[in-house]
Amino acid sequence: MTQGTSQEPDPHGKQVPQHIAVIMDGNGRWAKRRGLPRYAGHPVGVEAVRRIVEACVERGISVLTLFAFSSENWRRPQKEVSLIMDLFIRSLKKEARRLHRNGVKLRVIGDRKAFSDTLQRQIHEVESLTEGNTGLTLQVAANYGGQWDIVQAARRLAQRVHEGDLLPEQISESLFDETLSFPDLPNPDLFIRTGGEKRISNFLLWQCAYTELYFTDILWPDFDSAALDAALADFSNRQRRFGRTGDQVRDQAEAS
Ligand code: IPE
Ligand code: IPE
Ligand code: MG
């Protein structure tokens, strides 16, 4: 997607993001602080997902991308990984109708081939059920890695070159962008990471080139609509320059 065109002013003149991407971090610490095993935080994290999806629907956000499971999270203890997978299947089953009712279009991005047949089938069912919806697009990044996304795009372009369908010099930023996981959606305007860490952890690497970054110490299970509004308020005060000067951006805004 072309950078620099995706944020939209709301009727009060405030800048609102079209696409929000979230690293939902802190489930384990949330549980441990309560003397519970760390995986007990994940089901509570799912409740926060439900809250934030509804808050985004109410606020008219177009796209929400949630990082649910990274390509590196397989390195966790086997028990935690399998509990997360079970929870994923159960949540998709349980939430499908509610999402559909709310006009949400659900998509999963990431390498789904690593998932069990049951999980792959469940993903396919919810995606098919909701594909005609025109409200919020909810992208769940599962077995997703920013490096994986770049490599799978490079591989597909290399294949086209190999087949004689493309010349290397025709590979441009926009063609590359179109070969990544969500060519039809704008790149994130706002990136939120909960849980206090200030890193990207192999989330959307290419797509966050000009995304505004927001970090909060709130642990994901505690993240609510007020916390989302705080992030939106912070975003509304950012000046997005995309390489231009602040004066240029101000003059352009005054002229429009
Ligand atoms: C994020 O919470 C959820 C997943 C990565 C699946 P964590 O489980 O990473 O929670 P912390 O960071 O250990 O507290
Ligand atoms: C990032 O959180 C992945 C998800 C939230 C799914 P992690 O907890 O895995 O990140 P690191 O390991 O602390 O960087
Ligand atoms: Mg973590």
Side-chain angles (χ1 to χ4, degrees), residues 24-29 38 73 76 193 197 199:
M24 312 182 287
D25 197 22
N27 292 353
R29 278 165 286 163
R38 43 169 293 115
N73 286 144
R76 293 193 176 197
R193 181 172 186 142
E197 311 295 350
R199 54 177 172 257

Side-chain angles (χ1 to χ4, degrees), residues 108-124:
V108 173
I109 57 168
D111 188 0
R112 62 179 76 181
K113 288 193 301 290
F115 296 142
S116 69
D117 290 347
T118 318
L119 181 50
Q120 290 190 47
R121 202 168 43 246
Q122 196 63 47
I123 290 171
H124 179 73

Side-chain angles (χ1 to χ4, degrees), residues 218-238:
I218 297 173
L219 301 174
W220 177 251
D222 292 326
F223 197 79
D224 58 12
S225 58
L228 176 68
D229 285 338
L232 292 173
D234 191 281
F235 176 83
S236 73
N237 291 319
R238 307 276 181 105

Side-chain angles (χ1 to χ4, degrees), residues 4-169:
T5 54
S6 54
Q7 86 264 27
E8 288 185 336
D10 78 0
H12 311 290
K14 271 194 336 192
Q15 169 175 257
V16 292
Q18 224 185 321
H19 182 170
I20 304 177
V22 186
I23 297 189
M24 312 182 287
D25 197 22
N27 292 353
R29 278 165 286 163
W30 185 93
K32 283 184 84 171
R33 279 181 200 172
R34 285 162 178 76
L36 300 166
R38 43 169 293 115
Y39 51 78
H42 300 312
V44 191
V46 173
E47 290 169 30
V49 169
R50 193 182 302 129
R51 273 201 305 270
I52 293 315
V53 168
E54 280 178 11
C56 286
V57 169
E58 283 164 12
R59 285 156 186 71
I61 304 296
S62 302
V63 188
L64 174 66
T65 301
L66 299 176
F67 205 6
F69 191 84
S70 76
S71 33
E72 289 70 38
N73 286 144
W74 297 106
R75 297 173 184 157
R76 293 193 176 197
Q78 211 265 320
K79 185 175 176 195
E80 180 170 343
V81 170
S82 67
L83 282 162
I84 291 173
M85 292 300 146
D86 287 349
L87 184 63
F88 199 12
I89 296 174
R90 276 187 286 119
S91 306
L92 281 171
K93 245 191 201 142
K94 199 166 154 218
E95 300 300 323
R97 273 195 307 266
R98 187 201 303 264
L99 291 171
H100 191 42
R101 234 187 1 256
N102 283 328
V104 175
K105 180 198 281 198
L106 184 121
R107 281 186 183 179
V108 173
I109 57 168
D111 188 0
R112 62 179 76 181
K113 288 193 301 290
F115 296 142
S116 69
D117 290 347
T118 318
L119 181 50
Q120 290 190 47
R121 202 168 43 246
Q122 196 63 47
I123 290 171
H124 179 73
E125 274 175 26
V126 188
E127 284 180 335
S128 312
L129 175 72
T130 63
E131 76 184 337
N133 290 342
T134 53
L136 173 75
T137 297
L138 171 62
Q139 294 199 106
V140 177
N143 193 21
Y144 180 88
Q147 292 175 340
W148 165 83
D149 203 357
I150 291 168
V151 168
Q152 68 81 25
R155 205 176 276 149
R156 278 159 61 192
L157 292 172
Q159 185 64 31
R160 286 181 57 191
V161 171
H162 178 70
E163 286 165 5
D165 176 42
L166 187 70
L167 294 169
E169 53 272 30

